[in-house]
Amino acid sequence: QVQLVESGGGLVQPGGSLRLSCAASRSIFNFYAMRWYRQAPEKQREWVATITSGGSTNYLDSVKGRFTISKDNAKNTVYLQMNNLKPEDTAVYYCNVNTPAPAWGQGTLVTVSS
Protein backbone atom coordinates (compact mmCIF):
# COMPACT_ATOMS: atom_id res chain seq x y z
CA GLN A 1 0.00 0.00 0.00
CA VAL A 2 1.21 3.47 -0.81
CA GLN A 3 2.03 5.82 2.05
CA LEU A 4 0.93 9.44 1.92
CA VAL A 5 2.33 12.27 4.00
CA GLU A 6 0.67 15.66 4.15
CA SER A 7 2.45 18.83 5.12
CA GLY A 8 2.01 22.57 4.94
CA GLY A 9 -0.75 23.16 7.43
CA GLY A 10 -0.61 25.79 10.08
CA LEU A 11 -2.24 28.85 11.53
CA VAL A 12 -3.25 31.56 9.11
CA GLN A 13 -5.40 34.66 9.33
CA PRO A 14 -8.61 34.97 7.34
CA GLY A 15 -7.78 35.98 3.81
CA GLY A 16 -4.41 34.33 3.98
CA SER A 17 -2.97 31.49 1.95
CA LEU A 18 -1.41 28.11 2.50
CA ARG A 19 -0.12 25.42 0.20
CA LEU A 20 -0.57 21.86 1.34
CA SER A 21 1.57 19.07 -0.01
CA CYS A 22 0.95 15.34 -0.13
CA ALA A 23 3.94 13.17 -0.90
CA ALA A 24 3.44 9.58 -1.99
CA SER A 25 5.89 6.80 -1.28
CA ARG A 26 5.85 5.55 -4.84
CA SER A 27 4.95 6.68 -8.32
CA ILE A 28 1.18 6.50 -8.66
CA PHE A 29 -0.09 9.80 -9.99
CA ASN A 30 0.03 8.72 -13.61
CA PHE A 31 -2.49 6.00 -12.79
CA TYR A 32 -4.83 7.16 -10.04
CA ALA A 33 -6.88 10.14 -9.09
CA MET A 34 -5.79 12.02 -6.00
CA ARG A 35 -8.18 13.66 -3.60
CA TRP A 36 -8.13 16.08 -0.74
CA TYR A 37 -10.60 15.74 2.10
CA ARG A 38 -11.01 17.71 5.27
CA GLN A 39 -12.60 17.16 8.63
CA ALA A 40 -13.56 20.07 10.80
CA PRO A 41 -14.11 19.70 14.54
CA GLU A 42 -17.31 17.81 15.28
CA LYS A 43 -18.02 17.49 11.56
CA GLN A 44 -17.94 14.58 9.17
CA ARG A 45 -15.11 14.31 6.73
CA GLU A 46 -15.92 15.99 3.45
CA TRP A 47 -14.39 15.83 0.03
CA VAL A 48 -12.62 19.00 -1.08
CA ALA A 49 -10.91 18.43 -4.43
CA THR A 50 -9.90 15.79 -6.96
CA ILE A 51 -7.27 15.68 -9.63
CA THR A 52 -7.40 12.76 -12.05
CA SER A 53 -4.44 10.96 -13.52
CA GLY A 54 -4.96 13.05 -16.63
CA GLY A 55 -5.03 16.31 -14.72
CA SER A 56 -8.73 17.11 -14.68
CA THR A 57 -9.89 18.79 -11.49
CA ASN A 58 -13.06 19.20 -9.51
CA TYR A 59 -13.84 21.06 -6.31
CA LEU A 60 -16.26 21.39 -3.49
CA ASP A 61 -18.50 24.35 -4.29
CA SER A 62 -17.46 26.32 -1.23
CA VAL A 63 -13.79 26.29 -2.24
CA LYS A 64 -14.16 26.94 -5.96
CA GLY A 65 -12.17 29.94 -7.03
CA ARG A 66 -10.09 29.83 -3.85
CA PHE A 67 -8.45 26.41 -3.87
CA THR A 68 -6.38 24.83 -6.61
CA ILE A 69 -5.34 21.20 -6.70
CA SER A 70 -2.29 20.32 -8.74
CA LYS A 71 0.35 17.64 -8.94
CA ASP A 72 3.91 16.94 -9.92
CA ASN A 73 4.03 13.37 -11.15
CA ALA A 74 7.81 13.28 -11.18
CA LYS A 75 7.89 14.23 -7.50
CA ASN A 76 4.95 12.01 -6.55
CA THR A 77 3.41 15.02 -4.88
CA VAL A 78 -0.03 16.56 -5.01
CA TYR A 79 -0.69 20.09 -3.82
CA LEU A 80 -3.61 22.09 -2.58
CA GLN A 81 -3.11 25.81 -2.93
CA MET A 82 -5.56 27.53 -0.62
CA ASN A 83 -6.16 31.24 -1.05
CA ASN A 84 -8.52 33.65 0.67
CA LEU A 85 -8.89 31.26 3.55
CA LYS A 86 -11.95 31.53 5.74
CA PRO A 87 -12.55 30.39 9.30
CA GLU A 88 -14.86 27.69 7.99
CA ASP A 89 -11.87 26.19 6.18
CA THR A 90 -10.42 25.21 9.54
CA ALA A 91 -10.01 21.45 9.50
CA VAL A 92 -7.59 18.61 9.34
CA TYR A 93 -6.83 18.09 5.66
CA TYR A 94 -6.20 14.60 4.34
CA CYS A 95 -4.80 13.30 1.09
CA ASN A 96 -6.40 10.18 -0.37
CA VAL A 97 -5.86 7.75 -3.21
CA ASN A 98 -7.54 4.47 -4.10
CA THR A 99 -4.98 2.12 -5.64
CA PRO A 100 -7.62 0.52 -5.49
CA ALA A 101 -6.90 -0.07 -1.83
CA PRO A 102 -7.54 3.22 -0.06
CA ALA A 103 -4.59 5.12 1.31
CA TRP A 104 -4.78 8.14 3.59
CA GLY A 105 -2.20 10.46 4.96
CA GLN A 106 -1.98 11.36 8.62
CA GLY A 107 -3.56 14.74 8.02
CA THR A 108 -2.30 18.27 8.39
CA LEU A 109 -4.13 20.82 10.48
CA VAL A 110 -5.21 24.11 8.97
CA THR A 111 -6.45 26.72 11.41
CA VAL A 112 -7.88 29.95 10.03
CA SER A 113 -8.28 32.46 12.80
CA SER A 114 -7.44 36.03 13.66
Side-chain angles (χ1 to χ4, degrees):
Q1 186 179 29
V2 66
Q3 278 73 55
L4 303 173
V5 179
E6 301 98 335
S7 62
L11 175 64
V12 64
Q13 294 186 4
S17 297
L18 287 172
R19 189 181 75 161
L20 307 183
S21 298
C22 173
S25 61
R26 59 183 177 90
S27 180
I28 58 171
F29 295 169
N30 285 336
F31 307 102
Y32 301 102
M34 302 296 300
R35 299 173 179 85
W36 285 98
Y37 288 77
R38 67 186 182 188
Q39 188 163 16
E42 301 182 345
K43 299 290 187 179
Q44 291 189 327
R45 183 164 45 190
E46 65 178 347
W47 165 80
V48 175
T50 296
I51 185 164
T52 69
S53 60
S56 298
T57 60
N58 200 12
Y59 300 92
L60 176 67
D61 283 346
S62 63
V63 308
K64 287 180 179 177
R66 301 188 297 119
F67 290 12
T68 303
I69 187 171
S70 62
K71 63 177 181 174
D72 186 333
N73 289 352
K75 294 183 177 180
N76 298 322
T77 301
V78 63
Y79 305 95
L80 186 67
Q81 178 67 47
M82 305 186 296
N83 298 326
N84 192 24
L85 283 161
K86 303 176 180 180
E88 52 263 42
D89 296 319
T90 295
V92 177
Y93 284 72
Y94 298 92
C95 184
N96 163 258
V97 62
N98 294 319
T99 62
W104 295 87
Q106 83 290 342
T108 186
L109 176 63
V110 172
T111 302
V112 184
S113 176
S114 59

